[in-house]
Amino acid sequence: MMGYRIFLAGASGAIGRRLTPLLRGAGHYVYGSTRSKANVDTLRSLGADPIVVDVFDASALSHVVALARADIVIHQLTDLPKDLNPLEMGAAIVRTARIRSEGTRNIVTAAIAAGARRLVAQSIAWAYAPGIEPHAETDALDAGAEGESGINLQGVIALEDFTLKSPPLEGVVLRYGQLYGPGTVSDRPSNSAPVHVDAAAYAALLAIDHGDPGIYNIAQSNRYVATEKARAQLSWTPDFRLLA
């Protein structure tokens, strides 16, 4: 099989840095976007063709995605402090919500204009409305949340709507559990719905050509969210780890 041309938005993030070598190892060509020139050398060392672009600059984003002639677009953008410092999280939640709403809209527009077939986007697995657990992907999100949680949820809902309801794009939403491992804030799994960063990256690799469009919970076996769909349709396993 010929490899895909992949535009990876957020290639310098925790998942992006693990995903880029996985994509390259599978024979795909990776255009890795970052908004900071400081990340260019790192992305090149991982095997990506680095592109410096701001997701809020819609025309520039459409231009570079078109130049990449992307078959697949992967959206791994957030704007959170690396240590999840509580003093910085309020502003970070607002920034990330804007990325998930306005930024995702720009990514979808660019992907469609470039003729991309599929969009794989990062969401979160702890946004479900209270109810019977474990939560399946068909359960409602907590749209009535207030305060910072409400801001967060509105961003998540916008991201998922743009991803899933923008034909002819095939939209795949990966609802990730709480990340741990290299490049994250913890080396140990949380007690809720943990997922190792390598296994999270592996889900994105699989989602480019496995499974139907739709939503997948991506986490280790836990009491909060059901994970059978990802295992069955994506052939995903939470045990995946990179060798280095």
Side-chain angles (χ1 to χ4, degrees):
M1 183 195 78
M2 294 284 290
Y4 295 121
R5 299 170 68 88
I6 294 176
F7 187 90
L8 173 54
S12 62
I15 294 175
R17 291 181 186 225
R18 311 301 279 181
L19 177 55
T20 298
L22 278 181
L23 293 168
R24 293 288 292 135
H28 306 301
Y29 194 90
V30 181
Y31 294 88
S33 85
T34 177
R35 61 185 175 168
S36 172
K37 292 181 180 179
N39 293 321
V40 164
D41 290 341
T42 297
L43 294 185
R44 191 172 285 121
S45 72
L46 292 170
D49 191 342
I51 295 175
V52 179
V53 68
D54 189 325
V55 73
F56 299 124
D57 188 338
S59 60
L61 183 66
S62 286
H63 178 68
V64 295
V65 177
L67 284 179
R69 292 183 290 120
D71 304 304
I72 309 288
V73 175
I74 302 177
H75 174 3
Q76 296 283 1
L77 289 170
T78 59
D79 191 359
L80 301 173
K82 288 191 175 181
D83 57 359
L84 300 184
N85 184 334
L87 297 178
E88 300 177 29
M89 283 301 291
I93 286 170
V94 173
R95 293 195 305 268
T96 295
R98 185 184 173 211
I99 287 173
R100 287 175 172 151
S101 53
E102 182 184 336
T104 303
R105 182 184 63 206
N106 292 344
I107 287 171
V108 165
T109 300
I112 292 173
R117 177 177 63 82
R118 179 168 280 209
L119 170 63
V120 179
Q122 175 193 144
S123 187
I124 58 175
W126 58 92
Y128 289 101
I132 297 172
E133 299 177 2
H135 290 288
E137 289 86 349
T138 50
D139 287 359
L141 298 182
D142 192 9
E146 299 179 349
E148 289 184 353
S149 293
I151 295 169
N152 191 31
L153 261 294
Q154 291 310 307
V156 167
I157 289 167
L159 176 144
E160 295 196 355
D161 280 348
F162 280 127
T163 300
L164 298 171
K165 301 174 183 177
S166 298
L169 271 184
E170 297 177 357
V172 177
V173 168
L174 301 178
R175 288 180 177 164
Y176 288 124
Q178 294 165 334
L179 296 174
Y180 70 98
T184 73
V185 296
S186 178
D187 293 328
R188 297 178 176 274
S190 72
N191 293 323
S192 179
V195 62
H196 192 279
V197 66
D198 289 358
Y202 184 50
L205 170 69
L206 293 171
I208 66 177
D209 56 8
H210 288 66
D212 295 327
I215 301 167
Y216 297 87
N217 289 332
I218 304 296
Q220 292 168 206
S221 295
N222 66 93
R223 292 181 292 178
Y224 180 62
V225 295
T227 59
E228 289 79 12
K229 183 180 177 183
R231 297 169 192 253
Q233 287 204 30
L234 301 181
S235 299
W236 179 73
T237 171
D239 301 324
F240 180 87
R241 300 291 184 273
L242 284 165
L243 295 177

